[in-house]
Amino acid sequence: LLRLPRLGCLNIQPALLPDNRGPDPLFWTFRRGDETTGVTIHLMDAGLDSGPILLQAHVAVEDGATEAALEGRLAHIGGELLARAVAGLAAGSLTPTTQDAALATSYPFPTAADFSITSAWSARRAYRFICGVQGRGQQITFSTDDGATLWLLTALGYDATATLPTSWRQDGDDLWLRCSPGVLHARTA
């Protein structure tokens, strides 16, 4: 099947291959706390996201970005790159570049455990992760440094330099959570 199209089978991967191969790269972009991601157009081969790269574009991951918003930006850019890749392949002006396997990372579909964060994370990373994945409907848990596990519905903000005298503080549905460094402001589920 991969050999049938004259120009090859092309894939749009919302990641900067060879990094972040796999079926759910946007989740792992948020989980890893990446500041930058991007789009790769590559020729498909028998492996998963391992074929030669045709074009790439870098995109900043902004504070508070949701997965839906980031996916929309990457899809728009990916569509433009795909059109350029097909035209370049047809004209013979685009040379595929073999991926460096030594730089490859690959991640599976996330499990419930992958939606857990701890106070060892920075407040900014925790905020960015929660904003990114909260639309999935999966419970997000936060483990404090005093052993409590709290369920979070949404992230409301963070202060990268603030401190709390205790591991966490609650006022109604609002939580303030001590991180390393900073304080995360979130709402409970």
Side-chain angles (χ1 to χ4, degrees), residues 107-121:
Y107 301 95
F109 282 112
T111 65
D114 296 316
F115 287 84
S116 297
I117 57 180
T118 72
S119 59
W121 287 31

Side-chain angles (χ1 to χ4, degrees), residues 50-152:
S50 58
I53 294 171
L54 298 172
L55 295 170
Q56 287 186 314
H58 290 72
V59 174
V61 180
E62 299 169 359
D63 277 5
T66 65
E67 183 176 30
L70 182 58
E71 183 175 36
R73 284 176 54 211
L74 295 173
H76 179 78
I77 294 166
E80 291 174 351
L81 290 179
L82 182 62
R84 285 181 39 209
V86 170
L89 285 172
S93 61
L94 193 58
T95 303
T97 304
T98 301
Q99 293 187 39
D100 184 346
L103 300 176
T105 61
S106 183
Y107 301 95
F109 282 112
T111 65
D114 296 316
F115 287 84
S116 297
I117 57 180
T118 72
S119 59
W121 287 31
S122 72
R124 181 172 184 249
R125 180 179 175 202
Y127 172 77
R128 290 164 53 90
F129 174 71
I130 295 166
C131 289
V133 303
Q134 68 190 7
R136 289 180 172 230
Q138 176 69 37
Q139 190 70 56
I140 299 169
T141 60
F142 186 98
S143 297
T144 66
D145 54 13
D146 68 357
T149 299
L150 305 165
W151 288 265
L152 307 179

Side-chain angles (χ1 to χ4, degrees), residues 1-10 43-46:
L1 193 61
L2 293 172
R3 289 189 297 265
L4 288 177
R6 181 176 61 85
L7 300 175
C9 292
L10 278 70
L43 289 166
M44 295 175 68
D45 63 10

